[in-house]
Amino acid sequence: MLLFNDIVVDCGRDSVTLRWGAAQSQMDTSLLRLGGCYPSSISAGEAMFQVEFSDCNFSRLVTGDTLMYMNELIYMSGPKAQLKSFSHPVVCAYERPADWAPRMFDPVFHTYGEGDLVFHMELMKDDFSGPHLSREYPLGSFIHISAAVEQMGHQPLLLLLEECVATTTPELQSEGPVHPIITNKGCLVASKNSKFEPRQKTSEIRLSLQAFKFAVGKEVYIHCNLLAWDPSGLDTSKKACHYVKGHGWALLDDPYHSTLCGCCDSSCEPWKTSGIASGKHGSTQSAVLIGPLVITDNSPA
C-alpha cells in the first residue's frame, strides 16, 4: 500500500483501489477521474476508485525484472473555481514473473477479425442492473440505454456512439420526423439534462436520455451508429461529449482534454494530422435499433 499525501493506492493482482481524501474544503471530489474512469463512490471530501488494469486507459511498462501499470488521477475544476485543475501520477509496480509474456491478440482490423466484433444495444433499468421491461416513458423521465461490443480475442476497444436519432419508423427514411440525440460525431444534444454515465468498462457505453417531446403517444425508434475505436485515438470526430451544468461540454473518457468537445456547438471535423484512414483504428456498426418505445404526457391539457 502506497501513500502520497491525500492519496492511498492499494495495488492488487489485476486491479487497484485508490482513495483520495480532499484536504481542500472547496474540492468537488465528483470531478476526480482516474484515467478515463469516474469514482466508484464519493462522500464528503473523499473519492474511491476500484478498477481493473484493463480499464481506465492504464498503460503498461515492462523492464527486465519489473512490470508497471501507470495512470493519472485528474481533477477538472470549473472555470471560476478557486482550486485549479491538476493531475497526479498513479503507479503500481510488480516483480516480473519469470514466465511472463504479453498477452497475444488477434489483429484488430483484419478482414476476418472484424466479424468477431458483436455489437448490441438495449433499454435498461434505472440502475442498469438488467433490461427495462416497460416500453412507456413519461415525458421528462429518463430512458437508460446500454450499448456494448463483444471483443473476444481482440485488443481492448473503446465503444462510442457516433450518431443517434429518434424516428417514428423502424427504418430510417428521408421523409418523416427525426429527432437528433447524438450529432456532430459524439455530441449528446438531446437535452442538457441527458448524460453519459461513468464507464464500467471500455467496451460498454451507458446513456441516460431524458424523454423528449417527440411523437408523444406514438411508437418511437432510436437508431444509432456504434463505433469500436482505439482508446488512444480520441479526437474531435471520435469522442463522447455531454453537457455538464456549470462546467460546459465535458469529454466522458478524459475530462482533462474536454477541449475536444469545444466543437459541439458548431461543427466537428477530424484532425488533419493523423493521415490514417478510420478503418485502421476502428470498426463501425451502423443503424443499431432499439424500440419501439412510447413517450407519454400525462400533464393537464
Side-chain angles (χ1 to χ4, degrees):
M1 185 174 290
L2 309 174
L3 181 64
F4 301 99
N5 297 323
D6 298 318
I7 304 179
V8 177
V9 181
D10 187 2
C11 299
R13 179 176 179 180
D14 300 306
S15 62
V16 61
T17 299
L18 182 150
R19 181 179 61 81
W20 171 272
Q24 299 90 346
S25 59
Q26 68 269 34
M27 171 180 274
D28 181 354
T29 54
S30 69
L31 299 179
L32 286 165
R33 305 288 183 266
L34 180 58
C37 290
Y38 288 65
S40 304
S41 62
I42 56 173
S43 58
E46 184 174 287
M48 180 79 74
F49 296 85
Q50 294 176 300
V51 300
E52 297 183 357
F53 293 131
S54 57
D55 283 323
C56 307
N57 300 325
F58 273 89
S59 59
R60 182 182 63 196
L61 176 65
V62 183
T63 63
D65 56 3
T66 304
L67 172 64
M68 291 189 293
Y69 291 92
M70 299 171 291
N71 212 326
E72 282 190 304
L73 181 70
I74 300 167
Y75 180 74
M76 285 296 298
S77 64
K80 297 182 180 180
Q82 293 181 354
L83 182 63
K84 300 302 181 182
S85 302
F86 65 84
S87 63
H88 194 296
V90 175
V91 180
C92 286
Y94 306 87
E95 181 179 354
R96 177 181 175 180
D99 59 350
W100 184 90
R103 182 181 174 187
M104 301 303 291
F105 295 100
D106 293 334
V108 181
F109 304 119
H110 258 285
T111 301
Y112 75 86
E114 288 189 11
D116 292 338
L117 296 178
V118 179
F119 295 83
H120 57 88
M121 192 170 178
E122 60 183 328
L123 299 171
M124 303 295 289
K125 297 178 180 178
D126 290 355
D127 59 359
F128 290 89
S129 61
H132 192 269
L133 300 181
S134 172
R135 295 288 163 162
E136 292 191 0
Y137 293 88
L139 186 65
S141 66
F142 282 90
I143 304 167
H144 300 284
I145 299 171
S146 173
V149 57
E150 296 178 19
Q151 304 180 66
M152 302 182 187
H154 289 288
Q155 298 176 20
L157 298 174
L158 183 72
L159 186 66
L160 299 170
L161 294 171
E162 279 196 309
E163 311 281 341
C164 288
V165 297
T167 71
T168 55
T169 61
E171 298 83 21
L172 276 174
Q173 300 175 345
S174 57
E175 298 180 357
V178 174
H179 183 87
I181 297 172
I182 296 175
T183 64
N184 235 344
K185 302 296 185 180
C187 300
L188 177 54
V189 298
S191 82
K192 291 188 176 179
N193 291 321
S194 299
K195 62 179 180 177
F196 291 110
E197 298 291 348
R199 285 192 192 265
Q200 304 300 306
K201 48 189 176 182
T202 57
S203 60
E204 180 185 12
I205 190 166
R206 295 177 173 182
L207 170 64
S208 290
L209 174 67
Q210 190 172 36
F212 37 85
K213 199 166 187 177
F214 171 75
V216 173
K218 299 180 180 179
E219 290 187 342
V220 173
Y221 298 83
I222 297 176
H223 306 257
C224 292
N225 286 347
L226 274 58
L227 174 67
W229 194 250
D230 178 358
S232 64
L234 295 176
D235 63 22
T236 55
S237 67
K238 303 292 184 294
K239 62 191 183 301
C241 298
H242 57 186
Y243 193 87
V244 178
K245 291 182 178 179
H247 298 279
W249 288 101
L251 186 66
L252 171 66
D253 296 296
D254 189 356
Y256 204 67
H257 292 93
S258 290
T259 52
L260 291 179
C261 302
C263 61
C264 284
D265 289 322
S266 54
S267 178
C268 298
E269 299 294 337
W271 286 348
K272 304 299 184 182
T273 55
S274 173
I276 301 176
S278 62
K280 299 296 184 181
H281 283 251
S283 179
T284 301
Q285 177 69 42
S286 299
V288 175
L289 173 71
I290 57 174
L293 54 92
V294 178
I295 298 172
T296 61
D297 185 1
N298 297 323
S299 59

